[in-house]
Amino acid sequence: MQRDDGWVSASDLAEYAYCPRAAYYRSHPPPGGRTFDASARAAAGMRYHHATLSAERRREGAGAAYAVAACLGLLLLVAGVAWLFHW
């Protein structure tokens, strides 16, 4: 992860924030190369990260819909109260 000059790049920090284990293995590859088991585990990890991030994206997207629904509900409430008092 660290270069020869002692600096760490922003992409290195982002990779570490995303998955510290992946950042470690990128800078410390196994001496014999990647094994079949390691490839299978890497694929499982990629599926896990994809599923986790997909669920997070769905939750973030739903927040805007909830905000719009709350604003419409508030607007209907104000309109109903105004109609009752005939402003």
Side-chain angles (χ1 to χ4, degrees), residues 20-35:
R21 187 175 289 187
Y24 173 80
Y25 285 128
R26 183 173 306 281
S27 61
H28 299 88
R34 182 181 271 193
T35 63

Side-chain angles (χ1 to χ4, degrees), residues 13-84:
L13 293 175
E15 182 179 29
Y16 181 81
Y18 179 70
C19 182
R21 187 175 289 187
Y24 173 80
Y25 285 128
R26 183 173 306 281
S27 61
H28 299 88
R34 182 181 271 193
T35 63
F36 177 77
D37 184 49
S39 297
R41 289 174 186 255
M46 290 173 65
R47 286 191 302 273
Y48 170 77
H49 282 292
H50 177 72
T52 302
L53 291 176
S54 295
E56 189 172 327
R57 286 186 191 112
R58 279 194 304 275
R59 283 191 302 270
E60 287 177 356
Y66 289 135
V68 168
C71 288
L72 286 176
L74 182 62
L75 181 65
L76 286 173
L77 179 67
V78 169
V81 170
W83 181 77
L84 285 175

